[in-house]
Amino acid sequence: MGQVAWKALFLSLFDYKTEKYVIAKNKKVGVLYRVVQLSILAYLVGWVFVVKKGYQDTDTSLQSSVITKLKGVAFTNTSELGERIWDVADYVIPPQGESVFFVMTNLIVTPNQRQATCAESASIPDALCDRDTDCLEGEAVVAGNGVKTGRCLKDRGSTRGTCEILAWCPVEKRSKPKKPLLGSAENFTVYIKNSIRFPKFKFSKMNVLATDNESYLKSCRYSQEHPYCPIFVLGNIVRWAGGDFQEMALQGGVIGIQIEWNCDLDKAPSECNPHYSFSRLDNKSAETSISSGYNFRFAKYYRDAEGVDYRTLIKAYGIRFDVMVNGKGAFFCDLVLIYLIKKSNFYRGKKYEEVK
Amino acid sequence: MGQVAWKALFLSLFDYKTEKYVIAKNKKVGVLYRVVQLSILAYLVGWVFVVKKGYQDTDTSLQSSVITKLKGVAFTNTSELGERIWDVADYVIPPQGESVFFVMTNLIVTPNQRQATCAESASIPDALCDRDTDCLEGEAVVAGNGVKTGRCLKDRGSTRGTCEILAWCPVEKRSKPKKPLLGSAENFTVYIKNSIRFPKFKFSKMNVLATDNESYLKSCRYSQEHPYCPIFVLGNIVRWAGGDFQEMALQGGVIGIQIEWNCDLDKAPSECNPHYSFSRLDNKSAETSISSGYNFRFAKYYRDAEGVDYRTLIKAYGIRFDVMVNGKGAFFCDLVLIYLIKKSNFYRGKKYEEVK
Amino acid sequence: MGQVAWKALFLSLFDYKTEKYVIAKNKKVGVLYRVVQLSILAYLVGWVFVVKKGYQDTDTSLQSSVITKLKGVAFTNTSELGERIWDVADYVIPPQGESVFFVMTNLIVTPNQRQATCAESASIPDALCDRDTDCLEGEAVVAGNGVKTGRCLKDRGSTRGTCEILAWCPVEKRSKPKKPLLGSAENFTVYIKNSIRFPKFKFSKMNVLATDNESYLKSCRYSQEHPYCPIFVLGNIVRWAGGDFQEMALQGGVIGIQIEWNCDLDKAPSECNPHYSFSRLDNKSAETSISSGYNFRFAKYYRDAEGVDYRTLIKAYGIRFDVMVNGKGAFFCDLVLIYLIKKSNFYRGKKYEEVK
């Protein structure tokens, strides 16, 4: 290209090109046009800004700390254990007061287990035997309690028996009480202390009433009327989650306690409140199903005067509570600019009118 | 401005202003123009709607509950402990069956520790001494087991020794077995029960086959063919995560078990399935590195007839399993409106043609 | 419509319709027009692309594993317990080295509790009585330690007393030491090993220096100069979180340790570094408030020669540390296409010029 052509091209860079418009002086079309324009503007202002609060910056990186503490004592009188009192150190596992805690409501105790040989439980299919060769020495019983010694133990006069095993003896008997041992746990209370913080906005709050009145926090119980009393009766939690306490206490189960903090920090801090919801997390299946309930085994280890270890095996049924906290804080910010750019189509419309 | 001018301005508000168009009756350009238009439309409909399912509302606030239960027995015969059976209550820590559980596969036992004075371990640099003044009384041994008493204990005839300390005595000897004690844990199984719920859509599901056939859930093992059998062999989990069980059992390690539920709830519930993936979470470093493996110490406390406490210290090596659940549910919704507004450029094009 | 009309309609589909433009050869307006165009382009390129890295794909599904290990020994000499050494197995709860751990710094010990009857603590309002009828038999003491037997126990000569209860006796005396028992825990260290992985990008990293120099990792302490030494002095953590160790050790509290990994994986892996921040998670309230501090009760169970259970109840005060890991990885990707489509207004402008 010649020098002239380059110059023309360069100059044309500073030409202002704009669409050519037709003005239709038709009132009907004009009104429709403005109505459409206004409704889109109303959508943006009304929905995106006012309802969805698009102008706010949100902080979803909530910092949360949960401390839980149970209170309550239960009395039981069984042929196996005699008269017994159960307090917090007995029935809460683990004891640390974290956001996940388990309340033991039923248990099968197998005391004085020692490393020895004994007959495997007859309820385990793999342990049934007719003769010694059915019990391969050194083989672990599938889903059982020990390792086979190679002998088949039979009751006098019977033709079938169970393999002898090396195990913690005697083995657990599979008989669950018909009624939960600690059914009175329904009246136990749990204090759930939750502090939250939105680090971006340096805003902190707690779910506990800021009061000097100590007796209030010692005697109150959470309800709709007392949203800042974080003391919950276990029976209420289970009922609010749609469960039946006595049935869950027998079989075990898992309850979720959600705490939500959705805070509009443009408003007063007193408008930033926790919202609780309760749900049953394990599937409430048929009673016969293998997958229903919640239980686990643990042992307390002792040593006798001869230095030999023995233990008490406990199969614990109970309710696990999972406290889950989530929330977001929102605050005014200069996202406005970003929205203006998105809506530039409208503003450009205005500009053009001025040019004309 | 005069009244007339105001009136003119007001009337002009209801003018309909539109761009003036040129119709080029050139077929080549016309076809190109439609092709471009169609491909953008195809992108929106095909990609955003059909592939990305932009018309669906998603719920990422998954409520999940995990219950784990191990099964398996191991037999060991060592000079220190004699013949011993290890069952679930012995090797699972903590026992509660939460989503994070640890299986002890190797251990160093230091029995009968009592509060007393003894020589610090010679493998701790800070405890080495030539004379009593090297052992400042009351000073804690750095990275050691106790507090110095001020004496330097030497073996007969040697010139170097270790400081005497007040500690749980005797102190642990640093000798790790060459082979994992509970290497047979490779055959143990874990039952991972996971219930999920999308609260927004009131949809619940479980990773366990809904069957009346209890024996299936007692004998099955998870595999691609049995995706609804939630019973996993520990050895398989480690292999799928790319690890070697016997090596991890010796040194310890951490395995992650991810369960993903990405559910299109417009389809049948049977299409909403869990997807498992397994990965090694700790860095598999060189064996010599200080940062490899996973172990911790805990103690069992006893009291003798005189009321004096003693304990058995256990340094446990093993594999920690972290079950992590995530997912999202998606459902049809009226986001359509929002997409229509975004695509209004195309629809406006049509409108204009009609006006003309 | 006739066949002709249909044909005309069909042909008109391939007409190319475009706006009619006016070229204003006004330099001032032209320059303004280009400046506006350039600044929008600069915004997109400069802000969205370069600063916000809009061209990168992000992975927020961080896989993280945290292993913690404490070191340190404390010596105490109290009238109750005598000379005693506290080591890791004594003061860390739970012992597993998970991401949440508790360091016991103060405790109230109630030894030799047995199931028996004794007087309830006088500090519990519900247990105060004037006569036996105030102590309804079988009723649990509200916020107390046991179940009333029906008797009111009074000291000789006094008119008020407390109900006799069936409980773990003797009950705990509510007297907290003025000084934390394990105040020297300030010098304990914790080794926090954090491995992360961005599964989408197959990128792994650890917060531990990859070095063969084992002695570095045994002697170093975390600081701004040593960001890859993951050994923290507890006293420093508390100070960085804005707390006072001795005060927290007395009352208990919760400290959050955030580890952030925001990694631009387009750069070298050595640019992907962990950032630590520390904050106090429990609300630092007035000392008198019921909601301040952190403590819990647990028990060690023993069995005497007669086979009767007894226990030592421990009310533990201390500091809970919550290690929280989050982060996101970002990587170049073909989101470019999506941005081009969004910016098509500009590119279309060019096309039009060519057409003209």
Side-chain angles (χ1 to χ4, degrees), chain B residues 190-294:
Chain B
V190 61
Y191 170 60
I192 301 176
K193 181 167 123 187
N194 177 217
S195 311
I196 55 138
R197 190 164 169 264
F198 293 110
K200 217 189 211 166
F201 305 134
K202 297 190 172 46
F203 177 86
S204 300
K205 210 171 171 185
M206 234 172 135
N207 69 336
V208 183
L209 192 69
T211 177
D212 291 332
N213 184 352
E214 276 199 41
S215 68
Y216 172 74
L217 287 174
K218 279 189 172 157
S219 61
C220 70
R221 295 289 173 269
Y222 173 81
S223 68
Q224 299 281 8
E225 291 80 45
H226 296 280
Y228 274 90
C229 170
I231 298 174
F232 300 82
V233 178
L234 296 194
N236 286 345
I237 294 179
V238 172
R239 197 169 50 248
W240 292 330
D244 173 62
F245 193 91
Q246 294 302 322
E247 178 257 318
M248 279 190 86
L250 191 66
Q251 294 282 341
V254 185
I255 295 277
I257 302 174
Q258 278 88 31
I259 309 182
E260 271 208 80
W261 296 86
N262 286 325
C263 292
D264 182 350
L265 302 179
D266 287 342
K267 297 185 185 163
S270 63
E271 304 262 313
C272 171
N273 296 321
H275 290 280
Y276 297 89
S277 59
F278 307 89
S279 57
R280 183 154 184 188
L281 293 183
D282 67 316
N283 242 25
K284 199 186 154 181
S285 326
E287 227 174 280
T288 52
S289 167
I290 189 185
S291 59
S292 72
Y294 180 50

Side-chain angles (χ1 to χ4, degrees), chain B residues 34 288 291 294-295 301 311, chain C residues 13 69 87 90 96 193:
Chain B
R34 290 297 174 196
T288 52
S291 59
Y294 180 50
N295 63 68
Y301 293 85
R311 71 178 196 184
Chain C
L13 273 179
K69 197 168 209 172
D87 71 2
D90 294 324
Q96 298 101 277
K193 182 167 122 187

Side-chain angles (χ1 to χ4, degrees), chain B residues 121-242:
Chain B
S121 164
S123 65
I124 293 167
D126 188 48
L128 300 176
C129 60
D130 293 320
R131 60 194 74 81
D132 286 356
T133 51
D134 291 344
C135 302
L136 194 64
E137 192 186 334
E139 195 189 59
V141 181
V142 175
N145 298 299
V147 171
K148 297 172 188 168
T149 59
R151 291 178 58 201
C152 182
L153 300 179
K154 295 178 195 174
D155 284 341
R156 191 180 301 248
S158 73
T159 55
R160 284 216 98 185
T162 55
C163 294
E164 190 191 58
I165 53 169
L166 178 63
W168 285 100
C169 288
V171 299
E172 183 185 284
K173 286 195 199 75
R174 314 214 158 194
S175 65
K176 195 167 53 179
K178 290 271 177 296
K179 232 175 70 91
L181 201 64
L182 296 180
S184 61
E186 192 161 355
N187 301 318
F188 292 173
T189 58
V190 61
Y191 170 60
I192 301 176
K193 181 167 123 187
N194 177 217
S195 311
I196 55 138
R197 190 164 169 264
F198 293 110
K200 217 189 211 166
F201 305 134
K202 297 190 172 46
F203 177 86
S204 300
K205 210 171 171 185
M206 234 172 135
N207 69 336
V208 183
L209 192 69
T211 177
D212 291 332
N213 184 352
E214 276 199 41
S215 68
Y216 172 74
L217 287 174
K218 279 189 172 157
S219 61
C220 70
R221 295 289 173 269
Y222 173 81
S223 68
Q224 299 281 8
E225 291 80 45
H226 296 280
Y228 274 90
C229 170
I231 298 174
F232 300 82
V233 178
L234 296 194
N236 286 345
I237 294 179
V238 172
R239 197 169 50 248
W240 292 330

Side-chain angles (χ1 to χ4, degrees), chain A residues 37 344-354, chain B residues 17:
Chain A
Q37 238 184 15
S344 52
N345 286 332
F346 300 109
Y347 296 106
R348 254 190 301 182
K350 295 230 149 156
K351 183 174 57 102
Y352 286 173
E353 283 184 302
E354 283 154 31
Chain B
K17 183 169 73 71

Side-chain angles (χ1 to χ4, degrees), chain A residues 73, chain C residues 118-136 139-155 159-167 171-172 174:
Chain A
V73 197
Chain C
C118 53
E120 175 61 287
S121 164
S123 65
I124 293 167
D126 188 48
L128 301 177
C129 59
D130 292 320
R131 61 194 71 83
D132 285 357
T133 50
D134 292 343
C135 302
L136 195 64
E139 195 188 59
V141 180
V142 174
N145 298 300
V147 171
K148 296 172 188 169
T149 61
R151 290 178 58 201
C152 182
L153 301 179
K154 295 178 196 174
D155 284 341
T159 56
R160 284 216 97 182
T162 55
C163 294
E164 191 190 55
I165 53 170
L166 177 62
V171 298
E172 184 184 284
R174 314 215 157 192

